[in-house]
Amino acid sequence: GCVAPRPLTQLPTNTKDSAAIGTTSPTISKPVTSDETEVQSPGTTAAASRCLYLQGVRALIKYVPQYFQKDHVEVVIDKLLHYSTCSGSYEQVHTAERALENMAETVDPLQCMEALSKHVWKPDTSAAESSANMSSENVAAVLITLRALSKLICRLSKDSIRKALPGLKPMIFESLSSRQVDMRKAAVFLIVEMHASLGDDVLSELESMSPAQQKLVSIYIGRRSKEAKKGEA
């Protein structure tokens, strides 16, 4: 069995009396200062807990997606978008974004589209809002939504994509004109994925793209076609 620890009153002390009676006392080491050890603050512990929570949610999405019902899908997507855009550690943001993409790849596509459509950014015309003056949180939310949609589009029927396209166009056009390279690339990749399903019909819907934007989209459409042919070979 376990041996009960001796009470503090029975522990040897480093005093002259103990040396005088011939007892040996342990050397008391110097106390460790705050500079020599990493003290976990409540904030650090909470951040670590959030990362573990997100990793657990991601594992559930990857391995048991069938258990995510409609109500679950909406709540989880809301939370993942929040944690992927709020200030936090790289691990937290990265895990939340990857989990959202996993959700787009595995969970019921129509439910995912319905939940994501609520987060599709639409410019406030009355305030002349554009990608140039969006807050950093909105920029991050648009970028992550575009990436998730790119994973989701290939799982939707042609009719579902056609129905969703009018609501996506404002976000796509603003992202194509963004100063941020990642935003422009994400918008192009989404168009390319839609083109893989709808063909040139999607380009007709997006005919107001500038010549430079059209050329860029055409280049990536060509690359994707080549990759698809290699996969079939």
Side-chain angles (χ1 to χ4, degrees):
C2 296
V3 179
R6 288 184 294 168
L8 293 176
T9 54
Q10 295 181 12
L11 293 176
T13 56
N14 188 18
T15 62
K16 293 183 179 180
D17 293 338
S18 61
I21 60 177
T23 58
T24 303
S25 59
T27 302
I28 299 177
S29 60
K30 182 181 69 173
V32 179
T33 64
S34 58
D35 295 334
E36 297 171 340
T37 184
E38 182 180 352
V39 180
Q40 284 196 333
S41 65
T44 304
T45 304
S49 298
R50 281 194 295 271
C51 286
L52 289 174
Y53 157 77
L54 290 168
Q55 290 168 6
V57 170
R58 187 184 179 193
L60 291 172
I61 293 168
K62 289 178 67 176
Y63 299 114
V64 287
Q66 66 273 19
Y67 289 105
F68 283 83
Q69 304 301 319
K70 183 176 181 180
D71 293 341
H72 302 150
V73 171
E74 185 174 345
V75 171
V76 173
I77 284 179
D78 287 350
K79 293 297 183 183
L80 291 177
L81 277 170
H82 170 73
Y83 283 120
S84 59
T85 57
C86 67
S87 58
S89 66
Y90 169 80
E91 183 181 5
Q92 171 188 307
V93 173
H94 178 79
T95 304
E97 185 174 351
R98 295 289 83 78
L100 186 59
E101 291 181 1
N102 291 144
M103 202 157 192
E105 294 171 326
T106 58
V107 177
D108 183 276
L110 291 177
Q111 293 178 6
C112 281
M113 188 67 216
E114 183 179 348
L116 279 172
S117 64
K118 298 177 182 178
H119 298 277
V120 169
W121 178 77
K122 297 178 178 63
D124 184 358
T125 54
S126 62
E129 185 183 16
S130 68
S131 58
N133 54 27
M134 278 194 292
S135 66
S136 58
E137 289 82 6
N138 283 340
V139 169
V142 170
L143 177 59
I144 292 165
T145 302
L146 286 168
R147 288 172 174 171
L149 287 169
S150 295
K151 301 288 185 181
L152 178 63
I153 286 295
C154 62
R155 303 179 62 221
L156 292 170
S157 67
K158 292 182 179 181
D159 288 341
S160 296
I161 298 173
R162 290 192 182 97
K163 290 178 181 178
L165 186 53
L168 298 177
K169 285 168 65 174
M171 181 174 68
I172 290 174
F173 283 126
E174 287 294 338
S175 299
L176 285 172
S177 303
S178 173
R179 297 174 183 174
Q180 298 195 25
V181 176
D182 288 342
M183 289 274 283
R184 297 197 300 270
K185 286 175 62 176
V188 169
F189 290 157
L190 177 56
I191 295 171
V192 170
E193 291 302 322
M194 289 191 293
H195 181 273
S197 296
L198 299 181
D200 290 340
D201 289 348
V202 71
L203 299 180
S204 300
E205 288 287 339
L206 302 173
E207 61 183 358
S208 57
M209 289 188 294
S210 69
Q213 291 169 348
Q214 292 177 7
K215 183 178 180 180
L216 183 62
V217 168
S218 298
I219 291 172
Y220 278 95
I221 287 174
R223 289 181 182 178
R224 193 190 189 286
S225 298
K226 289 180 181 179
E227 291 174 359
K229 291 177 180 178
K230 287 181 181 179
E232 294 173 358

